[in-house]
Amino acid sequence: MSDLDINALVLAWMTTYGSPMIAALLFLGALGIPLPSTLIVIAGGAFVRQSYLNLYSTPLLGLFGAVTGDVLVYGAGRFARLWIEKRFGQSPNWIQAQEYFARRGGIAIYLTRWLLTILALPVSLVAGSSDYPFPKFVLYVVAGELTWIMLYGGLGYMFGSQWELISEFISQFAVVIVGVLVVAIGIYLLVRFWRRSRQESTVVG
């Protein structure tokens, strides 16, 4: 089934079954099922304006579905923690990653709920496996998912019948952001490796 077929099917489900279907779809999307979650949120806003969906239940049920999915992924990371600790626990890189996530994890959790959504699932897994405090995880998840639903759903509501163009633009923008992020991380790692090599050469010399 092509992406266009999936999108058409999802939209048909939304108009047929209403807000509970949006909650179910966002829940499955948070679990990693390849669904057009951002399209669903934008279309949901447009359908609210067109009176296909309820103004109040749609964002609330959507938020509930997305947060519930995120929490289950966090739980999967927590469940796998012992195996991960056994496998990587003594690795300096893993220890450093845990320390960094403890300091900056909230920002990562928040941004991956609405801006860098393609990274949401791995970040949730890392949060669970690194023993990131569950109350803080839920707080940042709720804040991020609420931003996502209100921002993108609001765009769908404002632009009404042109919501598909907005969805396409946002999808392309997200790909660009992720690409820039990957390049930036690559440059950072290369610079760090180069500096470490120079320090080791200086010590040996």
Side-chain angles (χ1 to χ4, degrees):
M1 185 178 291
S2 67
D3 289 343
L4 291 177
D5 292 335
I6 293 174
N7 292 350
L9 184 61
V10 164
L11 294 175
W13 285 346
M14 289 170 60
T15 54
T16 301
Y17 300 106
S19 303
M21 177 54 66
I22 292 181
L25 291 171
L26 295 185
F27 169 76
L28 294 175
L31 294 181
I33 305 299
L35 293 171
S37 297
T38 297
L39 172 71
I40 292 168
V41 174
I42 296 174
F47 291 161
V48 166
R49 180 167 184 174
Q50 296 166 16
S51 300
Y52 288 114
L53 299 174
N54 183 269
L55 175 63
Y56 303 104
S57 64
T58 299
L60 289 176
L61 288 176
L63 179 64
F64 175 78
V67 171
T68 303
D70 289 333
V71 167
L72 284 183
V73 175
Y74 174 94
R78 179 66 65 90
F79 180 77
R81 182 187 172 202
L82 292 178
W83 179 85
I84 293 174
E85 286 287 342
K86 184 177 180 180
R87 183 107 164 92
F88 304 106
Q90 303 305 316
S91 168
N93 290 333
W94 174 249
I95 294 174
Q96 186 176 13
Q98 284 184 308
E99 293 174 350
Y100 179 83
F101 199 85
R103 296 194 307 269
R104 303 282 186 239
I107 297 175
I109 294 167
Y110 175 72
L111 291 179
T112 54
R113 299 312 108 172
W114 66 275
L115 182 60
L116 304 170
T117 54
I118 194 173
L119 301 176
L121 189 143
V123 166
S124 296
L125 286 173
V126 171
S129 61
S130 63
D131 203 25
Y132 190 80
F134 180 70
K136 291 179 64 177
F137 174 80
V138 172
L139 176 65
Y140 285 114
V141 159
V142 170
E145 298 290 14
L146 186 60
T147 300
W148 182 51
I149 289 173
M150 298 306 294
L151 177 61
Y152 293 167
L155 286 173
Y157 185 89
M158 285 191 300
F159 287 93
S161 61
Q162 297 181 336
W163 62 267
E164 292 178 281
L165 296 177
I166 301 300
S167 176
E168 183 178 353
F169 171 78
I170 289 175
S171 297
Q172 294 175 350
F173 178 73
V175 170
V176 171
I177 291 294
V178 172
V180 170
L181 182 63
V182 169
V183 171
I185 292 174
I187 293 174
Y188 169 77
L189 293 175
L190 285 174
V191 170
R192 185 176 177 182
F193 177 77
W194 177 74
R195 287 179 177 176
R196 182 177 295 178
S197 298
R198 284 195 62 184
Q199 290 176 352
E200 292 176 352
S201 299
T202 303
V203 172
V204 171

